[in-house]
Amino acid sequence: MAVTSISRLCLVYGILLPTFGTLLSSFVTANPLQKRVVPERSGFKKVWWEDFTHKDGVSHNWIYDLGTSYPGQVANWGTGEIQTYTKDTNNIRIDNGVLSIIPRKKPSSGRPTWTSARIESNTKNQWACVDGKKMIVEASIKLGSASEAQSKGIWPAFWMLGSVFRDKGYKGWPEVGEWDIMESLNGMRQTWGLVHCGMYDGQIPIRGPCNEPNGKGSYTKGVGRGIWNTFGIEIDRSSKYWKTEKITWLINGVRRHSLSGSDINNATAWDFLVHKKFFILLNVAVGGGFPDGVEGYKTPYLGTIDGEKVGMQVDWVAVYQQN
């Protein structure tokens, strides 16, 4: 969910394609009949988790992001997305321990207006990988089952921002660091895993250690929709040398792609990106630079539907630190 003032179509090109084996292994056929327990991980301690069963609901661990921007910050959440975020149960609710984020549209004399929801973990819930150890952040997510034709401009995301953002706001982006653990666009059977870091001056072409404003990373094809997938990121500081530390994206426990400190090749950017605390965000945006860029036209279309078939469900979210 990066800040950008230009099309991000170039993300489709110039990044590593997954191997054929990776493509095949990304398909999942199992669909749980009941809510699952947040799993344990061998060699790791589960230091925080959210299973959406607390009596206080969403407000127990999360802050609602409301409107079209943070107060006094960049409009349209910095991405050009067009929806207004609410905490209305039409847009966000918990049913049987599963969180649903649901974009809705309202007809108007011009283009329809849209609402949706976005939450971020509160200030008590932010984490950094311990020096010499590994950290994994995962979530069990079901993406909407609607077709691509019905989903143009719908942009679900599971991502994290450096906690310094809460002090600096967008003036600190992308220096504060951003991990896009899972971004889904336009109903595609494909998800992106990217990072943002360093500096960006608002100019073209892409710049800096993280190729801003597009970010650096890759994507995985063949990701099932309308079924549960586990999306995660592993921060590996076990080498104790920044250039050989790694960020790895996981889908259903399978490693998809990685970036190392040497890939970023900027010690200051890597320090913000890997050594400092981050907080979690979950949202479904509508429109914006990323879906527009991939589609090649401004989204959403008049044929884009609203409702649960283009929403996102979250069964659980967890943070693991290596023992």
Side-chain angles (χ1 to χ4, degrees):
M1 298 300 296
V3 178
T4 175
S5 58
I6 66 171
S7 165
R8 294 168 64 179
L9 183 58
C10 53
L11 266 172
V12 180
Y13 305 97
I15 53 181
L16 295 175
L17 289 172
T19 65
F20 182 67
T22 297
L23 292 178
L24 287 179
S25 61
S26 65
F27 285 99
V28 180
T29 57
N31 195 5
L33 298 178
Q34 60 184 14
K35 181 173 175 61
R36 294 170 293 174
V37 174
V38 183
E40 303 294 334
R41 273 189 163 272
S42 178
F44 287 78
K45 179 182 180 181
K46 189 167 58 180
V47 296
W48 180 88
W49 66 95
E50 169 65 271
D51 62 4
F52 302 105
T53 59
H54 195 274
K55 63 180 178 63
D56 292 336
V58 173
S59 62
H60 177 59
N61 281 318
W62 307 88
I63 299 167
Y64 290 99
D65 293 333
L66 301 174
T68 58
S69 70
Y70 287 111
Q73 294 287 323
V74 180
N76 304 108
W77 302 100
T79 68
E81 57 201 72
I82 66 166
Q83 81 296 316
T84 298
Y85 287 129
T86 83
K87 59 179 180 180
D88 191 287
T89 54
N90 283 323
N91 292 125
I92 183 168
R93 65 172 184 261
I94 295 172
D95 296 307
N96 300 318
V98 174
L99 177 78
S100 293
I101 300 178
I102 308 164
R104 304 283 187 184
K105 67 176 175 178
K106 182 179 180 181
S108 67
S109 56
R111 294 177 65 87
T113 59
W114 287 81
T115 58
S116 189
R118 164 170 155 162
I119 56 174
E120 59 185 62
S121 58
N122 61 33
T123 55
K124 294 180 180 179
N125 296 315
Q126 44 195 32
W127 308 268
C129 183
V130 177
D131 186 18
K133 300 284 188 177
K134 299 178 181 179
M135 181 177 78
I136 295 173
V137 184
E138 286 186 316
S140 177
I141 292 174
K142 184 192 290 186
L143 297 170
S145 60
S147 69
E148 289 189 35
Q150 296 173 314
S151 305
K152 301 302 185 184
I154 304 298
W155 183 5
F158 165 40
W159 53 301
M160 300 182 73
L161 277 171
S163 61
V164 178
F165 181 87
R166 286 176 158 157
D167 296 321
K168 289 190 172 184
Y170 284 110
K171 290 182 179 178
W173 189 93
E175 181 186 27
V176 299
E178 176 178 330
W179 308 336
D180 296 328
I181 303 172
M182 184 285 299
E183 291 187 280
S184 169
L185 301 172
N186 303 334
M188 300 170 70
R189 293 176 61 89
Q190 177 171 313
T191 57
W192 278 259
L194 306 165
V195 296
H196 297 271
C197 73
M199 302 297 292
Y200 175 58
D201 58 8
Q203 302 300 308
I204 301 173
I206 56 177
R207 300 170 187 268
C210 280
N211 294 338
E212 299 305 344
N214 292 332
K216 204 162 191 176
S218 190
Y219 58 87
T220 300
K221 289 187 175 181
V223 177
R225 305 186 68 89
I227 60 175
W228 292 103
N229 290 292
T230 301
F231 298 97
I233 196 167
E234 178 188 77
I235 308 302
D236 184 352
R237 300 188 62 194
S238 59
S239 70
K240 297 188 177 183
Y241 175 55
W242 74 270
K243 282 198 171 183
T244 51
E245 294 174 342
K246 287 185 178 181
I247 301 171
T248 300
W249 284 263
L250 312 167
I251 303 180
N252 299 320
V254 178
R255 295 170 181 272
R256 302 299 172 167
H257 58 277
S258 298
L259 289 171
S260 67
S262 61
D263 292 324
I264 301 301
N265 201 31
N266 183 301
T268 300
W270 190 257
D271 181 53
F272 275 97
L273 195 58
V274 170
H275 300 167
K276 300 187 185 301
K277 289 184 176 182
F278 276 66
F279 61 93
I280 297 170
L281 299 99
L282 296 162
N283 69 290
V284 179
V286 181
F290 201 179
D292 290 357
V294 170
E295 181 63 16
Y297 297 93
K298 188 169 182 59
T299 64
Y301 297 164
L302 292 177
T304 301
I305 67 170
D306 67 348
E308 295 181 4
K309 286 188 176 181
V310 290
M312 176 173 74
Q313 290 181 296
V314 186
D315 194 355
W316 52 263
V317 189
V319 179
Y320 304 85
Q321 293 277 9
Q322 189 178 33
N323 294 331

